[in-house]
Amino acid sequence: MKKSSLGAWIAVVIAALYFLMPLVGAAEFSLRMIRGIYSFEAYKVVFSTVFEDTFLFSSVIALLTIAVSVLIVVPTVYFVQLRLRRLRPIVEFITLLPLVIPAIVLVFGYIRLYNSSSWLPLTGSVMATNILLLFAYVALALPYMYRAIDSGMRTVDVRTLTEAAESLGASLPTVIFHIILPNVRSAVLSGAFLTFAIVLGEFTMANLLNRPVFGVYLVDANEHSPYEAAALSLIAFLITWACMGLMQYFGRDRRAAKPGT
Amino acid sequence: MTAIAAAATVAKPARRLSSTTLALIGVTPFFVFALMFLIFPTIILVFGAFVDQSGNPTLNNIYKIFQNPTLVDAYVVSLKVSLITAVGGAILGLALAQAIVLGNLPRWMRPAVSTFCGVASNFAGVPLAFAFIASIGPRGLLTLWLSDYLGISLRALGFSVISFWGVVLAYLFFEIPLMVLIIAPALDGLKREWREAATTLGATSLDYWRHIGLPVLWPSLVGSTVLLFANSFGAIATAYALAGPGFNIITIQLNNQIRGDVLHDQNLGYAIALGMIVITGVSNGLYIWLRERGERWTR
Amino acid sequence: MAYLELKSIKKSFGPVPVVKSFDLAVDKGEFVSFLGPSGCGKTTVLRMIAGFEAASSGTIEVDGQEISNLPPAKRKIGMVFQAYALFPNMTVAQNVGFGLKLAGYPADQMKARVGEMLEMIKLPHLGDRYPYQLSGGQQQRVALARALAVRPKILLLDEPLSALDAKIRVSLREEIRSLQRQMGITTIFVTHDQEEALSISDRIVVMYEGAADQIGTPFEIYNTPKTTFVASFVGTLNLLEATVVDPGLSRLSIDGHEVTTTSAIAAAAGAKCSVALRPEALALGSARESDRNQMIGTAEEISFLGAVVRIRVRFGAHAVSIDTFNDPNTPPPLRGTRVAVTFRREDLLVLESTGRRPDARLVQLEPELA
């Protein structure tokens, strides 16, 4: 039975070469800002410019996206599992839409639907556009958030928990946010970190809505300093890595209980 | 006791009604959100594709796409990139997933590779493009290394990172890991006992994959390939940052259209978007149809 | 000459020995069970016979031919798994015919053989169903037919009944046994259920920590367990600690009650040893025959099980369970009353001390206060 591991090693090594090549390339390039020697100059410049503002902006949007997603998705999954089973196919169809409709098409629709002369001029002011971007990101994160929370809630006995809590006199919001939510915390967190990573790397929507997110800043940075852009790319990669590591860590206990097929 | 029972039967319908109402209130934000940010935006585009500037119904917008060789070409290039990266990503991703799930590798390998895949599948867009330029671009690390030490010139071989194949190579960077993430649970679903039972009945490894492994995986394979296809088809940032706004794929065309850089014909933009929805919609429909046909043996 | 022979089979996973020098000779047509708790190595031995695990040392022979180095596909050994393991993408008929198809049977012969097998497992009308449309018991019968269709030399059953309901488990095990007799196929059956092993086997191998503790017929295993482990694992035995009084006269003392046994006592006077008493060997009431041992204790708990009444009687640090048949005319003693417990000398079994402590969970009636 040992023979199969040779092929597996070859596959992994080839994959490692392919996946490490651009990363090593970017890392090496980012160190070449000062001609002739390797230095961390690009990183110094990055941290002394508006990087922090744009990164902060993206992070705040990401956290708000997570909060809004949780507020929308948790009650939906809860009620669909508990009382509105018949809505499940519709809800699942809707949550898959963002995977089918390209982001650029969605944002095009937003621009037309919520332009400054429409009934709800969400592109009319900076604040309103930020809110529009926030909801756009909620839409992007929806498939992942919904799946994470849905499979998390399947592993806890929602009905029994609800009945137990109600028999002790808990109100419905208490049940959802104080009983159910803590029980699916790891699922919510793993969805949250994925959302964070998606928002941090997003470019298309923010670019068309003219919001100064990290991804847009990166393209601008490239125009005046490719070294800074390479450094930023690497930083983005490390942050994504941190998010995924945290997601794996929090998602782990859920994997032990396999959902039935 | 009878009174209590009677009270309970009376109370029950009333209670169920109110709890259903409550449930409906609870899912309202979701449906309002879905209507406002998924359904209405899509409908307005689809509707707009069939009217002219003054609101009269017409098929002219769609006709205009077919009249415009650049747009037709953009669709074709998009389809080609998406098909190649979806099928290629699916095959290579399956191979990598198979290696880490069934390949008898050290235990730490699997979580390490899946974490990396989580990172890489989300590392699309601008940073990814820069990383590729920095490594296999004209002045990239690997390009220089190959020409300095091995005397191989990528340019002389006809390869350029800002070409079609450069974009394909970059897309594979997020498509392969995405495939690994989707297909690994399906590979876990292949029970060890199936292989062992087949083996005791005289099956070789090839027999096993032909008669059991691949047929069982088929729905997941097709489903993930469709997802990979939609993922490539809707991507813009990677190609945009890598090859620039002149790279002729449909997402970049739509982007230019929205920005008003080129034609400034709103309704043509709607038609372009409609075409994209039709393509991803058809690919998903195809998947559902294939699954219905192929999955006679599942519930 | 034995049909299947395992000679000093050993297996370690890394530094951990899982199977310690295992020897077994099985006759043609014999039905042998491997009985033991999980982790005792019984499944590992089975998988070594099938060829899924390579033995670290030792040889496996079938019909005088060594098969240790053959790949599993060439061993002609049929196997049935705990989780059915039917191929989900094939119908019942395709599952049963899979091995025949690989062996290159012509279509008509294959069809005939599949029909014959489905007839045999009494599911002739289900050939076109998919596995998900069958109950667990039906799936397991199909798995059995699939394994037998290619006429294997040996049939291996890896806990084939554990996933089924209690009722189906009993009927299917009888069916397996009758099919096995009918076909005369040499069979190894792995189980952790002592009742299953006792009811179905020609011989039982009781395994514990990677070694065979005892090999014997169900009658021998049940009535004369050799070690404390076998005694505790097979049946609901009362295990007690006794002090040797006089090895020559076979006199022992249990909580101050002097008793006599017919077993040989290896230990010297004053030494401790383990003894066992079957619940059904004990009786309530004073001894009428003079050679019966008698102990006085307090009735602590009475469980009415239907045909049998189980009474727990405490003697100081020890408690024993007594099974008596229900008799409408003699109600069981009340809780807390003093009762006399008697048993024959030959029913007091002195056990070999193996130096290994059996799993505490398995020693059902070990004194809690020890």
Side-chain angles (χ1 to χ4, degrees):
Chain A
M1 299 255 135
K2 279 271 151 64
K3 64 176 161 42
S4 54
S5 69
L6 179 66
W9 275 113
I10 293 171
V12 170
V13 168
I14 291 176
L17 288 176
Y18 167 73
F19 284 107
L20 289 178
M21 172 210 47
L23 299 177
V24 173
E28 198 261 2
F29 188 77
S30 71
L31 299 176
R32 283 201 305 211
M33 190 164 187
I34 299 174
R35 204 169 278 275
I37 56 159
Y38 285 137
S39 70
F40 287 103
E41 189 61 25
Y43 293 88
K44 275 185 211 152
V45 174
V46 161
F47 283 111
S48 64
T49 53
V50 289
F51 161 72
E52 278 157 57
D53 295 341
T54 172
F55 188 74
L56 191 69
F57 182 79
S58 275
S59 304
V60 169
I61 290 261
L63 292 177
L64 288 174
T65 304
I66 291 164
V68 174
S69 302
V70 169
L71 282 176
I72 291 178
V73 174
V74 168
T76 306
V77 174
Y78 172 78
F79 286 117
V80 166
Q81 282 198 6
L82 199 62
R83 301 203 205 282
L84 303 170
R85 257 163 215 288
R86 267 175 301 168
L87 290 182
R88 163 161 276 167
I90 303 171
V91 171
E92 283 191 344
F93 174 77
I94 289 172
T95 60
L96 287 175
L97 281 179
L99 296 180
V100 178
I101 305 170
I104 188 165
V105 172
L106 274 182
V107 75
F108 185 28
Y110 298 161
I111 290 170
R112 291 304 182 224
L113 195 58
Y114 302 116
N115 62 45
S116 40
S117 56
S118 75
W119 59 282
L120 186 61
L122 281 177
T123 52
S125 70
V126 168
M127 201 55 217
T129 314
N130 284 343
I131 290 171
L132 179 59
L133 185 65
L134 168 64
F135 280 109
Y137 286 168
V138 173
L140 280 192
L142 188 63
Y144 307 99
M145 226 17 165
Y146 179 83
R147 281 180 174 200
I149 293 175
D150 186 54
S151 62
M153 242 185 246
R154 275 173 209 236
T155 59
V156 300
D157 189 346
V158 173
R159 184 171 298 276
T160 311
L161 278 179
T162 303
E163 285 168 358
E166 281 181 343
S167 74
L168 295 170
S171 68
L172 199 60
T174 311
V175 172
I176 297 178
F177 290 103
H178 287 108
I179 310 291
I180 304 293
L181 192 57
N183 271 293
V184 295
R185 197 187 56 194
S186 68
V188 171
L189 279 174
S190 84
F193 288 116
L194 189 58
T195 304
F196 196 88
I198 291 171
V199 172
L200 214 56
E202 211 284 327
F203 167 75
T204 315
M205 288 179 148
N207 182 42
L208 283 171
L209 293 174
N210 285 317
R211 299 314 305 136
V213 300
F214 187 63
V216 174
Y217 173 74
L218 202 49
V219 178
D220 295 343
N222 187 47
E223 275 161 20
H224 61 264
S225 168
Y227 301 102
E228 282 173 47
L232 280 170
S233 300
L234 221 65
I235 293 168
F237 188 84
L238 290 178
I239 292 167
T240 317
W241 189 296
C243 284
M244 290 303 135
L246 290 169
M247 192 183 108
Q248 281 254 327
Y249 178 77
F250 287 106
R252 207 171 34 189
D253 51 353
R254 249 174 348 108
R255 246 183 325 181
K258 273 188 200 156
T261 30
Chain B
M1 196 172 131
T2 342
I4 295 170
T9 40
V10 172
K12 221 175 184 182
R15 196 181 130 74
R16 187 184 296 158
L17 189 72
S18 79
S19 70
T20 306
T21 315
L22 266 176
L24 287 172
I25 294 169
V27 297
T28 303
F30 174 83
F31 283 101
V32 169
F33 171 81
L35 284 174
M36 283 183 66
F37 296 99
L38 289 169
I39 295 167
F40 286 158
T42 312
I43 287 176
I44 197 177
L45 295 180
V46 172
F47 178 77
F50 293 103
V51 296
D52 64 19
Q53 305 245 346
S54 42
N56 303 312
T58 177
L59 290 175
N60 204 25
N61 301 315
I62 294 150
Y63 180 69
K64 267 192 251 170
I65 292 180
F66 289 99
Q67 284 303 99
N68 184 332
T70 316
L71 286 180
V72 173
D73 189 50
Y75 272 116
V76 171
V77 174
S78 266
L79 279 173
K80 263 166 55 180
V81 171
S82 312
L83 270 177
I84 292 170
T85 55
V87 173
I91 293 171
L92 297 172
L94 177 65
L96 185 57
Q98 213 243 352
I100 59 162
V101 176
L102 306 166
N104 290 327
L105 294 174
R107 256 164 196 281
W108 55 266
M109 236 19 197
R110 180 161 179 187
V113 173
S114 22
T115 310
F116 181 86
C117 286
V119 182
S121 65
N122 277 291
F123 191 62
V126 190
L128 174 64
F130 291 159
F132 267 84
I133 292 172
S135 53
I136 52 171
R139 310 241 354 113
L141 182 66
L142 188 70
T143 314
L144 296 178
W145 192 82
L146 284 176
S147 69
D148 290 355
Y149 295 97
L150 300 175
I152 301 168
S153 163
L154 286 179
R155 195 192 295 186
L157 291 170
F159 178 83
S160 159
V161 75
I162 59 168
S163 69
F164 177 86
W165 287 105
V167 170
V168 166
L169 202 63
Y171 275 24
L172 284 175
F173 192 92
F174 56 82
E175 293 284 61
I176 294 173
L178 183 61
M179 182 67 182
V180 172
L181 291 181
I182 310 173
I183 206 71
L187 284 174
D188 282 325
L190 292 178
K191 291 188 191 143
R192 187 178 70 169
E193 287 90 347
W194 291 340
R195 183 189 272 271
E196 291 179 348
T199 309
T200 57
L201 295 167
T204 61
S205 191
L206 194 70
D207 290 328
Y208 164 75
W209 280 107
R210 215 182 81 184
H211 296 291
I212 297 137
L214 283 179
V216 170
L217 279 183
W218 189 244
S220 318
L221 284 177
V222 176
S224 353
T225 310
V226 167
L227 197 66
L228 261 55
F229 175 85
N231 197 33
S232 281
F233 192 78
I236 168 168
T238 312
Y240 189 90
L242 197 61
F247 188 68
N248 196 20
I249 56 173
I250 198 63
T251 41
I252 290 180
Q253 283 295 341
L254 182 59
N255 185 64
N256 297 347
Q257 188 73 26
I258 298 169
R259 290 235 153 218
D261 294 350
V262 189
L263 295 164
H264 207 75
D265 179 349
Q266 257 193 35
N267 298 88
L268 179 61
Y270 295 152
I272 295 173
L274 173 70
M276 293 175 66
I277 296 171
V278 167
I279 287 171
T280 53
V282 165
S283 64
N284 274 275
L286 201 68
Y287 161 58
I288 293 166
W289 181 71
L290 277 172
R291 198 180 57 181
E292 299 281 307
R293 265 172 49 92
E295 270 186 287
R296 272 168 303 139
W297 42 271
T298 58
R299 267 148 271 214
Chain C
M1 199 196 137
Y3 188 68
L4 167 67
E5 245 189 305
L6 310 182
K7 292 179 182 163
S8 19
I9 298 290
K10 284 179 195 156
K11 175 76 185 174
S12 335
F13 290 121
V16 188
V18 190
V19 176
K20 304 163 188 161
S21 197
F22 188 89
D23 286 272
L24 180 69
V26 180
D27 287 329
K28 197 171 167 64
E30 200 179 5
F31 194 115
V32 174
S33 292
F34 291 178
L35 173 66
S38 55
C40 70
K42 57 191 192 300
T43 296
T44 308
V45 174
L46 196 79
R47 293 174 60 79
M48 286 193 283
I49 300 173
F52 299 135
E53 308 281 356
S56 307
S57 67
T59 57
I60 301 168
E61 287 174 16
V62 175
D63 205 5
Q65 267 187 317
E66 180 167 349
I67 61 161
S68 317
N69 296 317
L70 284 181
K74 298 256 167 72
R75 293 193 181 193
K76 291 188 190 303
I77 283 175
M79 185 147 171
V80 174
F81 300 83
Q82 178 177 346
Y84 323 134
L86 292 182
F87 308 134
N89 57 322
M90 298 184 193
T91 61
V92 165
Q94 286 168 336
N95 263 286
V96 175
F98 184 70
L100 305 169
K101 186 168 148 190
L102 291 176
Y105 271 63
D108 53 331
Q109 277 183 41
M110 196 170 106
K111 207 175 160 211
R113 178 73 177 153
V114 168
E116 190 185 316
M117 295 311 293
L118 292 181
E119 203 68 56
M120 197 184 75
I121 57 165
K122 304 190 187 85
L123 298 174
H125 51 289
L126 296 185
D128 292 329
R129 296 269 183 97
Y130 283 97
Y132 79 91
Q133 296 168 306
L134 305 181
S135 70
Q138 288 172 329
Q139 288 195 48
Q140 202 55 297
R141 272 142 78 191
V142 174
L144 191 64
R146 180 178 67 182
L148 292 173
V150 288
R151 297 189 175 84
K153 290 179 173 168
I154 290 170
L155 178 63
L156 305 178
L157 306 166
D158 187 5
E159 307 233 10
L161 306 171
S162 324
L164 302 171
D165 309 344
K167 266 191 183 159
I168 298 170
R169 212 179 300 168
V170 172
S171 68
L172 187 56
R173 92 181 170 215
E174 284 159 8
E175 204 172 320
I176 288 178
R177 180 58 159 151
S178 90
L179 278 179
Q180 185 269 339
R181 281 223 175 85
Q182 199 181 312
M183 300 186 70
I185 185 164
T186 312
T187 302
I188 308 281
F189 177 87
V190 162
T191 182
H192 62 263
D193 181 331
Q194 47 110 355
E195 185 199 322
E196 222 164 80
L198 290 170
S199 64
I200 205 172
S201 322
D202 290 321
R203 276 193 302 157
I204 296 175
V205 179
V206 184
M207 289 190 66
Y208 183 62
E209 291 189 346
D213 255 28
Q214 190 173 358
I215 303 178
T217 63
F219 188 82
E220 290 164 353
I221 297 281
Y222 188 81
N223 290 309
T224 49
K226 274 197 191 144
T227 66
T228 41
F229 174 74
V230 177
S232 64
F233 195 73
V234 181
T236 44
L237 208 67
N238 295 304
L239 277 184
L240 306 169
E241 196 173 71
T243 313
V244 179
V245 175
D246 185 341
L249 294 171
S250 297
R251 299 284 291 169
L252 298 159
S253 158
I254 303 169
D255 270 314
H257 297 89
E258 249 188 53
V259 291
T260 311
T261 173
T262 51
S263 309
I265 300 174
K272 301 270 184 202
C273 68
S274 289
V275 294
L277 282 165
R278 299 222 158 266
E280 67 270 25
L282 299 170
L284 286 181
S286 303
R288 298 207 184 84
E289 304 124 65
S290 60
D291 61 341
R292 270 181 94 92
N293 291 306
Q294 178 171 321
M295 289 161 65
I296 310 280
T298 311
E300 194 176 59
E301 204 169 298
I302 292 98
S303 327
F304 190 71
L305 307 175
V308 171
V309 183
R310 178 163 292 176
I311 300 152
R312 194 163 73 194
V313 178
R314 178 162 291 283
F315 312 93
H318 286 111
V320 296
S321 280
I322 301 161
D323 285 354
T324 60
F325 282 113
N326 171 40
D327 175 357
N329 300 318
T330 336
L334 294 173
R335 279 190 56 195
T337 50
R338 302 285 288 170
V339 291
V341 176
T342 70
F343 49 92
R344 296 187 307 164
R345 291 175 172 184
E346 50 270 48
D347 286 328
L348 181 65
L349 307 171
V350 179
L351 303 171
E352 273 173 38
S353 172
T354 49
R356 298 174 295 189
R357 292 292 299 160
D359 189 330
R361 259 180 317 114
L362 302 166
V363 184
Q364 277 134 353
L365 293 159
E366 214 173 19
E368 295 99 313
L369 303 171

